[in-house]
Amino acid sequence: GLVRRDAGFSVVEALAAAALAGIAVAGLVAVASLATASLRLARDEGTALALAAERLEALRAGPRADGADAPVGADGTRFARSWRVAGGRGLPARLAVRIAWDAHAVDLATEVFP
């Protein structure tokens, strides 16, 4: 005779499908989290570069003196900005700016003639 098989899924098949779906969702969450962190870092690095370039331009125009401040980004990220001036008086002046936040930092430096 004919053996009739039930159409549909067995419990084992349903559990395997649920496990695979769970693994896929966990992978997507991990990738989304990494993408978010990467975008945040890129945004903060862009802000830090803009803050450093702004300070270098101000130092080029003068007055030139060492200093520090703590600007806050549009999203609330707190940056520690410090700058140093070396040389000058007939020699090129070296201008250096450091922007630090969390565990990251950006350093920019240039030389200008008096």
Side-chain angles (χ1 to χ4, degrees):
L2 292 172
V3 177
R4 182 169 179 250
R5 295 188 65 148
D6 288 343
F9 296 103
S10 69
V11 172
V12 173
E13 289 171 330
L15 287 174
L20 287 174
I23 291 170
V25 168
L28 289 173
V29 168
V31 168
S33 175
L34 180 61
T36 300
S38 295
L39 288 172
R40 184 177 301 118
L41 179 58
R43 180 199 59 222
D44 289 346
E45 284 179 342
T47 301
L49 283 170
L51 289 169
E54 173 189 63
R55 179 51 57 189
L56 280 178
E57 288 301 320
L59 290 171
R60 280 188 188 116
R64 296 180 184 151
D66 295 351
D69 62 6
V72 178
D75 67 330
T77 301
R78 295 187 177 278
F79 296 91
R81 177 169 61 178
S82 60
W83 55 92
R84 298 195 40 84
V85 177
R89 295 195 175 120
L91 299 173
R94 179 167 169 76
L95 311 175
V97 178
R98 178 176 184 82
I99 309 288
W101 73 102
D102 299 333
H104 306 284
V106 169
D107 293 294
L108 288 182
T110 190
E111 288 186 347
V112 295
F113 291 98

XYZ file of all heavy atoms in Angstrom:
808
model
N 0.716 -1.145 0.000
C 0.000 0.000 0.000
C 0.796 1.272 0.000
O 2.005 1.322 0.039
N -0.010 2.271 -0.049
C 0.526 3.625 -0.049
C 0.725 4.105 1.377
O -0.126 3.912 2.228
C -0.445 4.565 -0.756
C -0.612 4.352 -2.263
C -1.744 5.211 -2.779
C 0.675 4.693 -2.970
N 1.863 4.747 1.598
C 2.134 5.341 2.908
C 1.910 6.836 2.777
O 2.482 7.487 1.925
C 3.591 5.063 3.363
C 3.870 5.746 4.668
C 3.829 3.585 3.430
N 1.076 7.348 3.593
C 0.751 8.771 3.511
C 1.598 9.529 4.520
O 1.633 9.185 5.694
C -0.736 8.961 3.822
C -1.138 10.396 3.718
C -2.668 10.511 3.751
N -2.996 11.908 3.675
C -3.501 12.613 4.670
N -3.790 12.040 5.803
N -3.748 13.881 4.520
N 2.292 10.560 4.035
C 3.100 11.400 4.932
C 2.350 12.698 5.151
O 1.773 13.248 4.221
C 4.446 11.704 4.308
C 5.261 10.408 4.144
C 6.635 10.739 3.717
N 7.280 11.480 4.801
C 8.568 11.425 5.071
N 9.346 10.701 4.337
N 9.080 12.107 6.054
N 2.368 13.177 6.365
C 1.705 14.457 6.666
C 2.510 15.595 6.056
O 3.736 15.637 6.139
C 1.602 14.669 8.182
C 0.565 13.758 8.812
O -0.270 13.230 8.059
O 0.608 13.600 10.036
N 1.802 16.514 5.442
C 2.457 17.710 4.935
C 2.652 18.664 6.116
O 1.833 18.719 7.017
C 1.595 18.367 3.872
N 3.743 19.406 6.102
C 4.004 20.338 7.194
C 5.382 20.100 7.787
O 6.194 19.349 7.260
N 5.609 20.738 8.917
C 6.914 20.671 9.551
C 6.841 19.818 10.800
O 5.853 19.827 11.527
C 7.390 22.074 9.959
C 7.612 22.983 8.789
C 6.692 23.964 8.467
C 8.760 22.863 8.022
C 6.904 24.802 7.397
C 8.978 23.708 6.954
C 8.052 24.682 6.627
N 7.942 19.148 11.068
C 8.038 18.420 12.330
C 8.567 19.386 13.389
O 9.029 20.481 13.080
C 8.979 17.227 12.192
O 10.314 17.681 12.035
N 8.523 18.984 14.606
C 9.024 19.814 15.704
C 10.515 20.055 15.534
O 11.010 21.168 15.748
C 8.713 19.145 17.066
C 9.384 19.887 18.194
C 7.220 19.060 17.284
N 11.254 19.047 15.113
C 12.702 19.179 14.921
C 12.996 20.202 13.825
O 13.881 21.051 13.969
C 13.338 17.806 14.586
C 14.801 17.962 14.211
C 13.190 16.861 15.753
N 12.258 20.145 12.739
C 12.452 21.107 11.659
C 12.124 22.531 12.122
O 12.841 23.481 11.789
C 11.574 20.740 10.456
C 12.034 19.492 9.731
C 11.038 19.029 8.691
O 9.827 19.253 8.879
O 11.488 18.445 7.693
N 11.073 22.676 12.878
C 10.695 23.991 13.390
C 11.767 24.534 14.330
O 12.112 25.723 14.275
C 9.340 23.919 14.087
N 12.328 23.680 15.204
C 13.385 24.117 16.118
C 14.646 24.507 15.350
O 15.301 25.497 15.683
C 13.697 23.025 17.138
C 12.635 22.820 18.219
C 13.006 21.606 19.081
C 12.507 24.057 19.082
N 14.991 23.730 14.331
C 16.173 24.049 13.523
C 15.972 25.379 12.810
O 16.891 26.220 12.753
C 16.438 22.931 12.524
N 14.797 25.607 12.257
C 14.510 26.869 11.579
C 14.575 28.041 12.556
O 15.111 29.107 12.243
C 13.143 26.808 10.908
N 14.044 27.860 13.757
C 14.076 28.925 14.766
C 15.515 29.219 15.188
O 15.890 30.387 15.373
C 13.230 28.533 15.968
N 16.334 28.178 15.331
C 17.735 28.368 15.714
C 18.488 29.133 14.626
O 19.256 30.064 14.917
C 18.399 27.030 15.985
N 18.269 28.762 13.372
C 18.925 29.472 12.266
C 18.474 30.927 12.191
O 19.283 31.829 11.955
C 18.645 28.759 10.943
C 19.394 27.441 10.738
C 18.916 26.766 9.456
C 20.889 27.685 10.687
N 17.196 31.170 12.393
C 16.689 32.541 12.385
C 17.306 33.344 13.532
O 17.664 34.520 13.360
C 15.172 32.549 12.483
N 17.447 32.724 14.693
C 18.068 33.399 15.838
C 19.513 33.760 15.574
O 19.971 34.860 15.914
N 20.252 32.846 14.949
C 21.656 33.114 14.617
C 21.742 34.257 13.613
O 22.587 35.150 13.729
C 22.331 31.836 14.082
C 22.479 30.816 15.210
C 23.682 32.144 13.450
C 22.898 29.433 14.757
N 20.860 34.247 12.623
C 20.859 35.311 11.623
C 20.549 36.663 12.255
O 21.199 37.675 11.949
C 19.852 35.000 10.520
N 19.576 36.721 13.137
C 19.210 37.973 13.801
C 20.360 38.456 14.685
O 20.686 39.653 14.698
C 17.909 37.809 14.619
C 17.679 39.000 15.537
C 16.730 37.628 13.677
N 21.007 37.537 15.417
C 22.143 37.924 16.259
C 23.276 38.491 15.408
O 23.921 39.474 15.787
C 22.633 36.723 17.067
N 23.510 37.908 14.249
C 24.534 38.425 13.349
C 24.201 39.813 12.845
O 25.063 40.692 12.778
N 22.936 40.036 12.500
C 22.520 41.356 12.037
C 22.647 42.404 13.132
O 23.041 43.539 12.878
C 21.084 41.307 11.521
C 20.883 40.562 10.199
C 19.391 40.441 9.896
C 21.599 41.276 9.073
N 22.318 42.036 14.356
C 22.448 42.972 15.482
C 23.914 43.330 15.695
O 24.247 44.506 15.922
C 21.825 42.366 16.758
C 22.200 43.175 17.986
C 20.315 42.282 16.615
N 24.807 42.347 15.607
C 26.235 42.610 15.786
C 26.759 43.545 14.696
O 27.517 44.481 14.974
C 27.020 41.301 15.792
N 26.357 43.307 13.457
C 26.794 44.157 12.351
C 26.233 45.568 12.511
O 26.945 46.555 12.291
C 26.372 43.538 10.996
C 26.541 44.526 9.858
C 27.167 42.275 10.728
N 24.988 45.703 12.909
C 24.388 47.018 13.116
C 25.102 47.775 14.227
O 25.345 48.979 14.123
C 22.900 46.884 13.426
N 25.451 47.072 15.291
C 26.163 47.705 16.399
C 27.540 48.191 15.958
O 27.954 49.302 16.289
C 26.297 46.706 17.555
O 27.079 47.242 18.579
N 28.253 47.366 15.196
C 29.567 47.752 14.694
C 29.457 48.942 13.738
O 30.259 49.871 13.796
C 30.226 46.562 13.983
C 31.613 46.800 13.410
C 32.593 47.179 14.508
C 32.089 45.560 12.676
N 28.461 48.932 12.880
C 28.268 50.044 11.944
C 27.964 51.340 12.692
O 28.485 52.403 12.343
C 27.145 49.714 10.968
N 27.149 51.261 13.728
C 26.816 52.447 14.525
C 28.062 53.009 15.204
O 28.292 54.218 15.197
C 25.743 52.097 15.571
O 24.583 51.629 14.892
C 25.384 53.302 16.424
N 28.871 52.125 15.786
C 30.102 52.568 16.450
C 31.069 53.187 15.444
O 31.709 54.208 15.725
C 30.758 51.400 17.175
N 31.172 52.609 14.261
C 32.056 53.138 13.228
C 31.591 54.512 12.755
O 32.408 55.422 12.566
C 32.130 52.178 12.043
O 32.731 50.967 12.429
N 30.296 54.679 12.583
C 29.764 55.976 12.176
C 29.983 57.035 13.253
O 30.306 58.187 12.953
C 28.277 55.867 11.842
C 27.952 55.146 10.535
C 26.446 54.925 10.410
C 28.472 55.931 9.351
N 29.822 56.652 14.507
C 30.044 57.585 15.618
C 31.511 58.026 15.643
O 31.816 59.209 15.803
C 29.654 56.933 16.937
C 29.757 57.880 18.126
C 29.279 57.229 19.425
N 27.907 56.784 19.319
C 27.513 55.498 19.425
N 28.393 54.548 19.629
N 26.248 55.179 19.322
N 32.429 57.064 15.468
C 33.855 57.397 15.463
C 34.196 58.305 14.287
O 34.930 59.281 14.444
C 34.703 56.122 15.422
C 36.212 56.331 15.381
C 36.682 57.131 16.590
C 36.928 54.984 15.310
N 33.646 58.013 13.117
C 33.909 58.848 11.940
C 33.392 60.274 12.168
O 34.068 61.252 11.818
C 33.262 58.241 10.706
N 32.206 60.398 12.756
C 31.646 61.719 13.038
C 32.538 62.476 14.031
O 32.858 63.649 13.832
C 30.235 61.578 13.607
C 29.578 62.912 13.918
C 28.413 62.779 14.872
N 28.866 62.198 16.119
C 28.187 61.265 16.799
N 27.038 60.822 16.365
N 28.655 60.785 17.933
N 32.959 61.791 15.096
C 33.807 62.429 16.101
C 35.171 62.815 15.528
O 35.714 63.869 15.863
C 33.976 61.523 17.318
C 32.706 61.417 18.142
O 31.782 62.232 17.948
O 32.636 60.494 18.988
N 35.739 61.974 14.664
C 37.021 62.311 14.047
C 36.879 63.536 13.145
O 37.757 64.398 13.124
C 37.573 61.126 13.254
C 38.168 60.054 14.131
C 38.703 58.873 13.346
O 38.335 58.699 12.156
O 39.482 58.109 13.924
N 35.788 63.618 12.413
C 35.549 64.793 11.580
C 35.424 66.054 12.403
O 35.988 67.100 12.054
N 34.707 65.960 13.512
C 34.562 67.114 14.411
C 35.911 67.502 14.995
O 36.258 68.685 15.069
C 33.562 66.795 15.543
O 32.300 66.454 14.964
C 33.400 67.969 16.490
N 36.703 66.498 15.411
C 38.021 66.766 15.992
C 38.942 67.442 14.974
O 39.656 68.396 15.307
C 38.649 65.465 16.501
N 38.923 66.973 13.737
C 39.746 67.606 12.700
C 39.317 69.054 12.464
O 40.164 69.934 12.299
C 39.665 66.806 11.403
C 40.489 65.521 11.377
C 40.141 64.701 10.137
C 41.974 65.846 11.413
N 38.024 69.299 12.437
C 37.534 70.663 12.252
C 37.956 71.562 13.413
O 38.380 72.705 13.203
C 36.013 70.661 12.102
N 37.869 71.045 14.647
C 38.278 71.831 15.815
C 39.776 72.122 15.789
O 40.212 73.223 16.135
C 37.905 71.093 17.105
C 36.419 71.034 17.440
C 36.171 70.046 18.578
C 35.897 72.417 17.800
N 40.572 71.140 15.382
C 42.025 71.329 15.315
C 42.381 72.336 14.226
O 43.199 73.240 14.446
C 42.722 69.991 15.063
N 41.768 72.203 13.055
C 42.049 73.131 11.957
C 41.637 74.555 12.322
O 42.356 75.522 12.015
C 41.329 72.676 10.696
N 40.504 74.682 13.005
C 40.036 75.998 13.443
C 41.061 76.666 14.361
O 41.387 77.843 14.215
C 38.702 75.828 14.167
C 38.176 77.075 14.828
C 36.967 76.772 15.701
O 37.104 76.010 16.684
O 35.900 77.299 15.373
N 41.592 75.900 15.312
C 42.576 76.462 16.250
C 43.885 76.798 15.541
O 44.495 77.832 15.813
C 42.818 75.495 17.407
C 43.839 75.970 18.420
C 43.598 77.366 18.947
N 42.291 77.484 19.543
C 41.748 78.623 19.933
N 42.407 79.754 19.797
N 40.548 78.652 20.458
N 44.327 75.942 14.597
C 45.553 76.244 13.857
C 45.406 77.550 13.075
O 46.333 78.369 13.039
C 45.907 75.105 12.903
C 46.610 73.899 13.509
C 46.854 72.837 12.438
C 47.918 74.282 14.175
N 44.263 77.759 12.459
C 44.026 79.000 11.721
C 44.055 80.207 12.653
O 44.602 81.252 12.313
C 42.702 78.937 10.960
C 42.735 78.020 9.769
C 43.791 78.409 8.745
O 43.974 79.617 8.485
O 44.455 77.500 8.219
N 43.474 80.062 13.827
C 43.491 81.160 14.801
C 44.920 81.449 15.260
O 45.308 82.619 15.418
C 42.604 80.817 15.991
N 45.728 80.405 15.439
C 47.119 80.598 15.854
C 47.940 81.243 14.745
O 48.820 82.062 15.012
C 47.741 79.267 16.275
C 47.217 78.668 17.579
C 47.749 77.251 17.759
C 47.603 79.541 18.768
N 47.673 80.867 13.507
C 48.378 81.492 12.380
C 48.107 82.992 12.346
O 49.006 83.790 12.090
C 47.919 80.868 11.060
C 48.549 79.569 10.746
C 48.177 79.117 9.325
N 48.648 77.780 9.107
C 47.874 76.731 8.893
N 46.565 76.872 8.836
N 48.391 75.541 8.711
N 46.856 83.366 12.570
C 46.473 84.778 12.529
C 47.012 85.544 13.734
O 47.229 86.742 13.661
C 44.955 84.899 12.456
N 47.220 84.845 14.855
C 47.742 85.452 16.067
C 46.608 85.903 16.970
O 45.473 86.023 16.534
N 46.836 86.166 18.211
C 48.125 85.996 18.886
C 48.475 84.515 19.074
O 47.606 83.662 19.024
C 47.909 86.670 20.245
C 46.448 86.538 20.492
C 45.790 86.590 19.131
N 49.755 84.249 19.279
C 50.233 82.878 19.414
C 50.674 82.631 20.850
O 51.631 83.217 21.328
C 51.405 82.626 18.466
C 50.997 82.739 17.013
C 52.160 82.482 16.103
N 51.733 82.699 14.720
C 52.537 83.084 13.767
N 53.817 83.294 14.016
N 52.078 83.257 12.546
N 49.958 81.747 21.513
C 50.287 81.367 22.890
C 49.733 79.977 23.157
O 48.768 79.556 22.521
C 49.691 82.372 23.875
N 50.364 79.270 24.074
C 49.864 77.949 24.467
C 48.506 78.104 25.139
O 48.200 79.152 25.716
C 50.824 77.273 25.456
C 52.179 76.950 24.838
O 52.333 77.088 23.609
O 53.084 76.553 25.598
N 47.702 77.046 25.089
C 46.408 77.118 25.748
C 45.641 75.818 25.647
O 46.129 74.825 25.110
N 44.453 75.841 26.194
C 43.582 74.662 26.177
C 42.147 75.107 26.387
O 41.891 76.157 26.968
C 43.997 73.679 27.273
N 41.223 74.296 25.894
C 39.809 74.498 26.165
C 39.098 73.160 26.030
O 39.738 72.131 25.809
C 39.199 75.588 25.277
C 39.243 75.264 23.791
O 39.646 74.155 23.416
O 38.868 76.136 22.989
N 37.800 73.162 26.199
C 37.026 71.912 26.169
C 35.743 72.104 25.375
O 34.663 72.214 25.944
C 36.728 71.444 27.591
N 35.858 72.143 24.035
C 34.635 72.309 23.233
C 33.754 71.061 23.287
O 34.227 69.959 23.556
C 35.164 72.542 21.817
C 36.542 71.995 21.807
C 37.049 72.082 23.221
N 32.472 71.254 23.046
C 31.500 70.155 23.048
C 30.908 70.048 21.650
O 30.486 71.050 21.070
C 30.383 70.414 24.088
C 29.354 69.297 24.050
C 30.986 70.544 25.483
N 30.889 68.822 21.105
C 30.328 68.593 19.783
C 28.818 68.744 19.784
O 28.176 68.801 20.840
N 28.239 68.798 18.593
C 26.793 68.972 18.444
C 25.998 67.848 19.106
O 24.880 68.054 19.568
C 26.431 69.054 16.966
N 26.596 66.653 19.183
C 25.908 65.508 19.787
C 26.205 65.377 21.275
O 25.762 64.425 21.910
C 26.308 64.220 19.065
C 27.762 63.876 19.300
O 28.569 64.812 19.497
O 28.104 62.692 19.297
N 26.982 66.308 21.846
C 27.302 66.262 23.270
C 28.655 65.646 23.592
O 29.047 65.589 24.751
N 29.404 65.188 22.572
C 30.739 64.637 22.819
C 31.649 65.740 23.332
O 31.713 66.827 22.763
C 31.332 64.044 21.523
O 30.464 63.025 21.049
C 32.711 63.454 21.772
N 32.348 65.466 24.423
C 33.271 66.446 25.014
C 34.678 66.192 24.507
O 35.186 65.084 24.604
C 33.245 66.362 26.534
C 31.909 66.744 27.107
C 31.964 66.821 28.635
N 30.687 67.252 29.157
C 30.294 68.520 29.225
N 31.092 69.472 28.815
N 29.106 68.830 29.703
N 35.274 67.234 23.965
C 36.629 67.157 23.445
C 37.551 67.966 24.339
O 37.156 69.020 24.843
C 36.694 67.735 22.025
C 35.881 66.964 21.024
C 34.559 67.304 20.769
C 36.434 65.903 20.337
C 33.807 66.603 19.840
C 35.689 65.191 19.407
C 34.375 65.539 19.165
N 38.771 67.480 24.534
C 39.799 68.240 25.242
C 40.768 68.738 24.175
O 41.405 67.944 23.494
C 40.523 67.352 26.250
N 40.837 70.065 24.001
C 41.690 70.646 22.962
C 42.814 71.415 23.636
O 42.574 72.246 24.515
C 40.861 71.574 22.070
C 41.670 72.273 21.012
C 40.823 72.971 19.982
N 39.965 74.014 20.557
C 39.164 74.796 19.842
N 39.109 74.662 18.527
N 38.415 75.704 20.425
N 44.038 71.125 23.224
C 45.191 71.866 23.737
C 46.087 72.233 22.564
O 46.102 71.549 21.546
C 45.966 71.034 24.766
O 46.448 69.837 24.193
N 46.819 73.344 22.713
C 47.700 73.782 21.647
C 48.972 74.347 22.223
O 49.008 74.831 23.345
C 47.002 74.787 20.728
C 46.435 75.992 21.418
C 47.058 77.189 21.610
C 45.136 76.113 22.007
N 46.224 78.048 22.283
C 45.040 77.416 22.527
C 44.043 75.263 22.143
C 43.897 77.881 23.190
C 42.920 75.717 22.784
C 42.848 77.011 23.293
N 50.037 74.203 21.418
C 51.364 74.672 21.825
C 51.992 75.436 20.679
O 51.795 75.109 19.521
C 52.266 73.508 22.213
C 51.726 72.729 23.413
C 52.726 71.810 24.072
N 54.068 72.294 24.210
C 54.533 73.075 25.186
N 53.714 73.509 26.113
N 55.798 73.430 25.240
N 52.765 76.436 21.048
C 53.508 77.239 20.083
C 54.972 77.172 20.477
O 55.315 77.397 21.633
C 53.017 78.706 20.086
C 53.844 79.544 19.121
C 51.540 78.771 19.763
N 55.831 76.828 19.517
C 57.277 76.762 19.785
C 58.007 77.493 18.673
O 57.552 77.546 17.532
C 57.736 75.307 19.867
N 59.157 78.036 19.010
C 59.955 78.734 18.002
C 59.503 80.161 17.846
O 58.982 80.782 18.763
N 59.692 80.689 16.636
C 59.350 82.082 16.376
C 60.563 82.973 16.545
O 61.704 82.511 16.506
N 60.350 84.244 16.701
C 61.431 85.236 16.867
C 62.486 85.082 15.773
O 63.648 84.838 16.028
C 62.076 85.116 18.237
C 61.115 85.454 19.343
C 61.861 85.679 20.651
N 60.926 86.105 21.649
C 60.691 85.452 22.780
N 61.342 84.357 23.042
N 59.823 85.915 23.623
N 62.034 85.192 14.528
C 62.951 85.088 13.401
C 63.030 83.694 12.814
O 63.506 83.503 11.715
N 62.589 82.699 13.568
C 62.574 81.311 13.099
C 61.127 80.898 12.837
O 60.200 81.508 13.370
C 63.178 80.382 14.153
C 64.636 80.629 14.533
C 65.030 79.746 15.699
C 65.543 80.375 13.339
N 60.934 79.861 12.032
C 59.557 79.381 11.865
C 58.954 78.971 13.209
O 59.641 78.397 14.054
C 59.697 78.174 10.938
C 61.017 78.347 10.266
C 61.888 79.090 11.246
N 57.711 79.300 13.405
C 57.004 78.896 14.631
C 56.302 77.576 14.352
O 55.669 77.397 13.310
C 55.988 79.957 15.038
N 56.430 76.634 15.262
C 55.740 75.351 15.139
C 54.455 75.433 15.952
O 54.485 75.681 17.160
C 56.618 74.212 15.640
C 55.925 72.865 15.558
C 56.924 71.728 15.767
N 56.260 70.453 15.946
C 55.713 69.737 14.972
N 55.751 70.181 13.742
N 55.137 68.577 15.223
N 53.334 75.207 15.276
C 52.019 75.245 15.922
C 51.487 73.825 15.972
O 51.441 73.135 14.959
C 51.058 76.121 15.114
C 51.575 77.507 14.694
C 50.551 78.194 13.808
C 51.909 78.341 15.902
N 51.084 73.372 17.142
C 50.581 72.007 17.298
C 49.278 72.029 18.095
O 49.170 72.726 19.098
C 51.605 71.132 18.008
N 48.305 71.257 17.626
C 47.007 71.162 18.294
C 46.688 69.686 18.508
O 46.882 68.865 17.619
C 45.884 71.812 17.453
C 44.532 71.661 18.140
C 46.191 73.270 17.191
N 46.201 69.369 19.703
C 45.780 67.997 20.031
C 44.337 68.043 20.504
O 43.982 68.834 21.365
C 46.662 67.396 21.115
C 46.246 65.995 21.521
C 47.241 65.409 22.536
N 46.923 64.042 22.862
C 47.258 62.978 22.142
N 47.947 63.133 21.032
N 46.926 61.763 22.519
N 43.521 67.176 19.906
C 42.122 67.029 20.312
C 41.965 65.604 20.825
O 42.279 64.648 20.111
C 41.153 67.230 19.124
C 41.448 68.526 18.372
C 39.710 67.157 19.601
C 41.084 69.778 19.091
N 41.476 65.440 22.047
C 41.297 64.107 22.630
C 39.860 63.942 23.096
O 39.218 64.895 23.540
C 42.258 63.907 23.797
N 39.341 62.738 22.963
C 38.009 62.390 23.454
C 37.984 60.886 23.661
O 38.636 60.142 22.957
C 36.914 62.848 22.491
C 36.798 62.043 21.230
C 35.867 61.094 20.963
C 37.640 62.097 20.077
N 36.072 60.555 19.715
C 37.156 61.168 19.154
C 38.775 62.835 19.732
C 37.758 60.947 17.916
C 39.360 62.624 18.499
C 38.848 61.696 17.603
N 37.252 60.444 24.650
C 37.179 59.019 24.990
C 38.594 58.430 24.949
O 39.458 58.906 25.628
C 36.221 58.272 24.062
C 34.792 58.799 24.144
O 34.435 59.335 25.216
O 34.044 58.691 23.159
N 38.829 57.405 24.142
C 40.160 56.796 24.038
C 40.832 57.172 22.721
O 41.730 56.489 22.263
C 40.045 55.286 24.161
N 40.420 58.290 22.112
C 40.912 58.677 20.797
C 41.553 60.054 20.864
O 41.287 60.835 21.768
C 39.761 58.698 19.785
C 38.997 57.415 19.731
N 39.477 56.296 19.114
C 37.800 57.070 20.243
C 38.609 55.319 19.243
N 37.572 55.762 19.931
N 42.386 60.338 19.857
C 43.015 61.657 19.781
C 43.389 61.954 18.340
O 43.635 61.049 17.543
C 44.247 61.718 20.666
N 43.418 63.242 18.020
C 43.864 63.730 16.716
C 44.912 64.806 16.988
O 44.708 65.675 17.841
C 42.675 64.329 15.912
C 43.177 65.082 14.692
C 41.714 63.243 15.515
N 46.029 64.729 16.280
C 47.089 65.719 16.403
C 47.324 66.367 15.042
O 47.456 65.657 14.043
C 48.388 65.065 16.876
C 48.297 64.545 18.300
O 48.164 65.375 19.207
O 48.336 63.315 18.483
N 47.372 67.682 15.008
C 47.719 68.426 13.797
C 48.822 69.405 14.156
O 48.845 69.976 15.237
C 46.535 69.216 13.252
C 45.390 68.449 12.591
C 44.350 69.433 12.069
C 45.893 67.587 11.463
N 49.753 69.588 13.227
C 50.846 70.526 13.454
C 51.236 71.170 12.124
O 51.028 70.592 11.057
C 52.047 69.809 14.062
N 51.793 72.356 12.226
C 52.279 73.073 11.038
C 53.356 74.044 11.496
O 53.546 74.266 12.687
C 51.127 73.818 10.332
O 51.603 74.298 9.072
C 50.591 74.961 11.159
N 54.046 74.597 10.524
C 55.020 75.632 10.810
C 54.632 76.881 10.043
O 54.135 76.786 8.912
C 56.431 75.196 10.411
C 57.004 74.150 11.327
C 58.450 73.833 11.000
O 58.951 74.237 9.926
O 59.099 73.190 11.834
N 54.840 78.025 10.653
C 54.571 79.301 9.992
C 55.781 80.197 10.168
O 56.513 80.090 11.163
C 53.301 79.989 10.554
C 52.067 79.178 10.256
C 53.419 80.236 12.030
N 55.969 81.073 9.222
C 57.064 82.030 9.336
C 56.560 83.253 10.079
O 55.394 83.612 9.989
C 57.593 82.390 7.957
C 58.313 81.242 7.310
C 57.669 80.442 6.387
C 59.628 80.946 7.668
C 58.320 79.373 5.789
C 60.275 79.876 7.102
C 59.641 79.083 6.155
N 57.448 83.899 10.819
C 57.025 85.053 11.624
C 56.391 86.158 10.814
O 56.508 86.260 9.660
C 58.309 85.549 12.267
C 59.381 84.571 11.960
C 58.859 83.641 10.920
